[in-house]
Amino acid sequence: MPAAPQFPPSPIRPILVRGLADALAAAAVADSAGAALTLMAPPAGGALWLLDLIARVRRAFPGLEVTGLLDCGDRAGEAQGALAAGVRALLFTGRTEAADRLAAIAAARGAALLTACPPLLDLAAESHGSTRPVLLEALCRDWLTQANGWAESRAEA
């Protein structure tokens, strides 16, 4: 039986970031909008990189609800390591049997395992590589204030 996609509670609108400047721009917008923030690490980012990034964002915006989403691809070992390190949301696209085992481990740790990538904002792609804070913040504002989140868009499909 294939693993059903699991989603964190509430609609998530992940923003793929490649560094602290991206994360802080997204956090500034989320904080001013009163929205929760999900930062997604690039495939080469890794669990410790993502957790450090989240810690820095939380120091800069202590009242902001921020979560990290790590794309582990089909690498079950990386997913297990990320869960052990404290990552709260993972994307795993490997074999169903592995996804089922990882989902059980994630649930026991209070984490979420996604088996399909939610729609996301890729800041580098959308900004065409620009690092101008005004542009990054405008992209994040548009993304975070859209009416429908991932949960709603999946329910409509």
Side-chain angles (χ1 to χ4, degrees), residues 6-97:
Q6 304 266 328
F7 307 101
S10 79
I12 61 168
R13 305 191 65 71
I15 299 175
L16 179 62
V17 296
R18 288 177 175 77
L20 185 58
D22 289 354
L24 291 175
V29 170
D31 191 54
S32 69
L37 179 62
T38 301
L39 298 174
M40 187 169 179
L48 297 179
W49 181 87
L50 179 61
L51 291 171
D52 181 61
L53 187 73
I54 291 168
R56 290 175 180 216
V57 168
R58 285 183 177 147
R59 280 194 299 273
F61 296 90
L64 180 63
E65 180 185 335
V66 60
T67 302
L69 173 61
L70 183 66
D71 182 354
C72 298
D74 63 355
R75 298 172 304 279
E78 181 179 343
Q80 282 183 304
L83 287 168
V87 175
R88 304 289 307 206
L90 302 173
L91 172 61
F92 178 75
T93 55
R95 294 186 341 256
T96 301
E97 302 81 28

